[in-house]
Amino acid sequence: LFSYTNWLVGSTFFSGAVAYKTGMGTFGLSFVHFGIEEFEETLPLQPEGTGRMVGAGDLALGLAYARDITDKLSLGGHVRYIEENLDLDTRRTVAIDVATYYKTGFRDLTLGVALRNLGPDQAVSRVTKSESFPMPIDFNVTLASHIIGKQGDPFSMLLAFENGFTIDLGDRYRAGTEIWLMNILALRGGYRFNYSNSD
């Protein structure tokens, strides 16, 4: 998978991933890069610009591994090197994601659990002091099951429910459904709960 997007005010977004399945599990590599066009620095006494160019961008490189533990349970992990640049200030860290996928055995009810962005607190320098902030940890629990038919039937209906917790926003919930008609047309819809207007 590879994608490239020209975005707002001259910014660009690249992302890509490749995975390879072996007898020992599936290995993957990923990257994400966000960059902006350089712009000229301005100061209160030099509002027309100083002639010095300022840049910024983000980069994440990841290595993933997953495998089936049994015919019902799968586990996976993803380690990422993350770098953020804002002019002369550069921050670097490592974050870990872990996830599991479990087929319960009741109809096709499936449970998914993911914990993302485990990593050390990040120090941010201020004019008067240095502050530390936690990584944006994200924890999701998802349940999904067909309540009518099953995958591949001429008519089927899947329901899914997800509880998402983020360290800075608390609990939020999502529910969705997918209806397949004659394996030709899929109708999908969902609703989000406990979201503010700005989310």
Side-chain angles (χ1 to χ4, degrees), residues 17-197:
V18 60
Y20 184 72
K21 189 171 185 177
T22 72
M24 298 182 297
T26 300
F27 295 85
L29 296 171
S30 66
F31 77 91
V32 176
H33 178 267
F34 173 75
I36 65 170
E37 286 185 348
E38 287 190 336
F39 58 91
E40 189 175 359
E41 176 187 52
T42 59
L43 298 173
L45 298 180
Q46 294 173 284
E48 299 300 318
T50 66
R52 191 177 78 86
M53 301 305 288
V54 176
D58 300 316
L59 172 69
L61 302 173
L63 175 64
Y65 174 73
R67 68 170 299 164
D68 294 331
I69 305 302
T70 69
D71 61 341
K72 293 186 177 181
L73 177 66
S74 300
L75 296 175
H78 187 208
V79 179
R80 285 173 296 140
Y81 165 80
I82 301 171
E83 181 176 293
E84 182 177 82
N85 298 293
L86 179 57
D87 193 21
L88 302 177
D89 190 20
T90 299
R91 301 289 171 195
R92 298 179 180 90
T93 192
V94 173
I96 298 172
D97 307 332
V98 292
T100 183
Y101 179 87
Y102 179 64
K103 298 176 182 177
T104 65
F106 175 73
R107 295 175 57 92
D108 64 350
L109 181 65
T110 303
L111 170 69
V113 178
L115 181 60
R116 291 183 285 268
N117 292 325
L118 289 171
D121 289 356
Q122 296 303 297
V124 178
S125 297
R126 303 294 187 191
V127 174
T128 58
K129 62 179 179 178
S130 180
E131 298 178 70
S132 291
F133 297 92
M135 292 284 284
I137 294 173
D138 184 28
F139 180 67
N140 292 76
V141 178
T142 305
L143 286 169
S145 179
H146 282 91
I147 61 168
I148 299 175
K150 61 182 185 296
Q151 188 173 6
D153 284 356
F155 178 81
S156 64
M157 182 177 183
L158 174 76
L159 284 183
F161 179 78
E162 181 177 57
N163 168 223
F165 172 82
T166 53
I167 199 167
D168 54 347
L169 295 172
D171 284 301
R172 296 186 295 179
Y173 307 93
R174 296 173 280 272
T177 186
E178 177 185 75
I179 299 172
W180 273 96
L181 303 172
M182 305 302 293
N183 287 316
I184 296 174
L185 177 66
L187 304 174
R188 300 183 180 105
Y191 191 79
R192 305 186 307 173
F193 305 87
N194 207 27
Y195 279 71
S196 68
N197 290 334

Side-chain angles (χ1 to χ4, degrees), residues 8-19:
L8 303 173
V9 294
S11 61
T12 56
F13 185 84
F14 293 87
S15 66
V18 60

